[in-house]
Amino acid sequence: MISRSLILKLSSALVIFGAWEISSRAGINYAFPTFFESMVALWNLTISGQIFTAYAETLKPLVVGVLISTFIGVGIGVWVGLSEKFDWLVSPIFIIMQSAPLAALIPLVIMAYGIGITSKTFVVCIMAMPVIVLNTSGAVKNTPTSMIEMARSFMSTEREVIFKIIIPSASPVIFAGLRLGVSAGFIGAILAELKITPTGVGDIISYSRMTADYPSMYAAIFSIIVLAVLFLNVLERIEKVLFAGNDRGYVS
């Protein structure tokens, strides 16, 4: 039986795509193709293999950047959550990174690392890491003190408290931060391709815009949204499986 959640999602999609089709047929702008034209363009990109070749390039800096952000970001976040001095020193940096228009830093990244995959990976990292660090540190700080005190009353070492109490308790929120980090990483990967070197999906968008092939441009943008939504849904399902007993913000 189809779940109510799935029905609502499909209904929402129909409303959005229907509004897209109607508004484009109303002649709002010549550069705004219909939903049907965009889907035909997406089909042509798919059967020609162009979209797969493009994503092979786009996913390289995205995957590397997200992996780097995950390992370094979680490590820094845990340290920030455990140390008040390190929190005072590091947290403002990531708060500024999260709120600042990081696209303005791309010219500096190009000057430092050139226009290759290193620059694009770095852009993904500076987009994804602040979210992961701040969510991780917040989760560690909000670990129930009663659980920590109980562990220490049983003569647990600080290492055991961290790895057996604090990190498991903070894991659901940390994983939620990873999902947000992946979402920010997608934005960073496409932004890097549009601003640094037109490769991958960013190349399809740039070239289609220059040649006035607007259906292909919108098709590429649509494919990015679909891939991001699918990937985040997969992570959400993994999160529900891993933390099925989590009712109160920490593992019971």
Side-chain angles (χ1 to χ4, degrees):
M1 185 176 179
I2 300 177
S3 65
R4 182 171 179 269
S5 175
L6 180 59
I7 293 174
L8 290 174
K9 289 179 181 179
L10 292 175
S11 300
S12 176
L14 288 174
V15 170
I16 294 173
F17 299 150
W20 179 354
E21 184 74 21
I22 292 171
S23 58
S24 61
R25 289 185 182 276
I28 295 176
N29 194 309
Y30 75 94
F32 186 37
T34 65
F35 175 73
F36 179 76
E37 291 172 339
S38 299
M39 293 305 98
V40 170
L42 180 59
W43 173 252
N44 291 333
L45 290 172
T46 302
I47 61 174
S48 68
Q50 187 177 353
I51 197 75
F52 299 112
T53 304
Y55 272 110
E57 288 294 323
T58 299
L59 291 176
K60 288 178 185 177
L62 175 62
V63 171
V64 174
V66 167
L67 289 176
I68 292 173
S69 300
T70 298
F71 287 107
I72 297 179
V74 171
I76 293 175
V78 171
W79 194 0
V80 168
L82 295 174
S83 171
E84 290 186 5
K85 293 181 179 179
F86 194 65
D87 182 15
W88 178 83
L89 179 66
V90 173
S91 287
I93 298 174
F94 289 99
I95 292 172
I96 292 172
M97 287 177 64
Q98 189 176 29
S99 58
L102 295 180
L105 298 179
I106 290 180
L108 299 178
V109 174
I110 295 173
M111 290 176 60
Y113 299 104
I115 59 174
I117 190 172
T118 304
S119 296
K120 296 176 182 178
T121 303
F122 190 79
V123 171
V124 173
C125 288
I126 63 176
M127 293 290 288
M129 197 175 297
V131 182
I132 296 173
V133 170
L134 295 176
N135 273 270
T136 301
S137 63
V140 171
K141 290 176 185 176
N142 291 322
T143 301
T145 54
S146 59
M147 298 176 68
I148 298 175
E149 291 171 357
M150 179 186 68
R152 286 174 176 163
S153 69
F154 283 96
M155 306 301 292
S156 297
T157 63
E158 285 300 315
R159 180 184 179 88
E160 289 174 330
V161 170
I162 293 172
F163 286 98
K164 294 184 178 181
I165 301 296
I166 294 177
I167 292 180
S169 298
S171 294
V173 181
I174 292 175
F175 200 91
L178 293 180
R179 286 197 291 115
L180 294 174
V182 170
S183 178
F186 265 98
I187 297 172
I190 302 302
L191 187 64
E193 290 187 335
L194 292 175
K195 296 291 185 180
I196 297 177
T197 313
T199 57
V201 183
D203 184 35
I204 295 177
I205 295 172
S206 300
Y207 182 77
S208 300
R209 181 182 58 190
M210 288 188 296
T211 59
D213 184 6
Y214 298 113
S216 294
M217 183 181 76
Y218 277 85
I221 296 171
F222 179 82
S223 71
I224 296 168
I225 296 172
V226 170
L227 182 63
V229 169
L230 289 175
F231 196 73
L232 292 176
N233 272 295
V234 169
L235 290 179
E236 185 177 359
R237 289 184 178 276
I238 294 173
E239 181 181 359
K240 288 180 179 179
V241 171
L242 291 176
F243 310 113
N246 179 44
D247 299 327
R248 297 171 291 175
Y250 56 88
V251 176
S252 10

